[in-house]
Amino acid sequence: MAGETQDSNWPLPKFYFKIDLGSVKDVLFQEVSGLEAEAQPIEYRGVNSPVFSTIKMPGIAKIGNVTMKKGIFKSDNAFWEWYGEIKMNTIARQNVVIKLCDEGGNPTIVWTLANAWPTKISSTDINADAGEVAVETIEFSHEGLTISNQ
């Protein structure tokens, strides 16, 4: 309607984000998925409860792996080298920081994966008929997901 002002509060677009892997800043990724946490319910009923059913309460927190996709660049084997360091419960763990940015490139929401390490790497498929960029997939296991606003 004429004369009304537009609300300046818009949802954030999800296509502008930055990722830091330990001390390496602004690593280029195409996609991030699996930023989720879940509290597994515990069912309990006290022996003297007058209600003939259980109650549910939060139990152990469960965090899933986070999957990221990125283009493959010439001579870029950093993730394969990191994955190759896995030996009998030893791996270099790093904090992974995912920053959703506003139009000025400033972080607005920040997800931090504590003590992350690559648990799976999938290389690109190869197809002579495709005109696509070569993309590899990296799956990270981690020990905690925190979310903050910047």
Side-chain angles (χ1 to χ4, degrees), residues 52-109:
F52 207 61
S53 65
T54 60
I55 61 169
K56 292 185 180 183
M57 61 183 124
I60 295 175
K62 179 181 173 184
I63 49 175
N65 290 345
V66 173
T67 303
M68 300 182 190
K69 294 182 180 182
K70 71 178 225 37
I72 297 174
F73 295 91
K74 183 178 178 181
S75 301
D76 180 14
N77 295 325
F79 289 112
W80 288 98
E81 291 168 4
W82 189 12
Y83 181 80
E85 294 175 4
I86 298 174
K87 293 178 184 55
M88 284 300 284
N89 199 27
T90 60
I91 183 70
R93 297 171 185 256
Q94 299 180 21
N95 287 343
V96 175
V97 181
I98 303 154
K99 300 174 275 190
L100 184 62
C101 300
D102 62 14
E103 64 279 356
N106 305 307
T108 57
I109 301 174

Side-chain angles (χ1 to χ4, degrees), residues 12 18 20 35 96-102 106-113 144-150:
L12 292 168
K18 298 176 183 178
D20 299 339
L35 294 170
V96 175
V97 181
I98 303 154
K99 300 174 275 190
L100 184 62
C101 300
D102 62 14
N106 305 307
T108 57
I109 301 174
V110 176
W111 294 267
T112 302
L113 312 177
L145 171 66
T146 57
I147 301 172
S148 62
N149 297 326
Q150 291 291 315

Side-chain angles (χ1 to χ4, degrees), residues 132-143:
E132 302 165 349
V133 170
V135 174
E136 65 183 346
T137 303
I138 300 106
E139 187 173 314
F140 290 98
S141 186
H142 59 95
E143 296 177 351

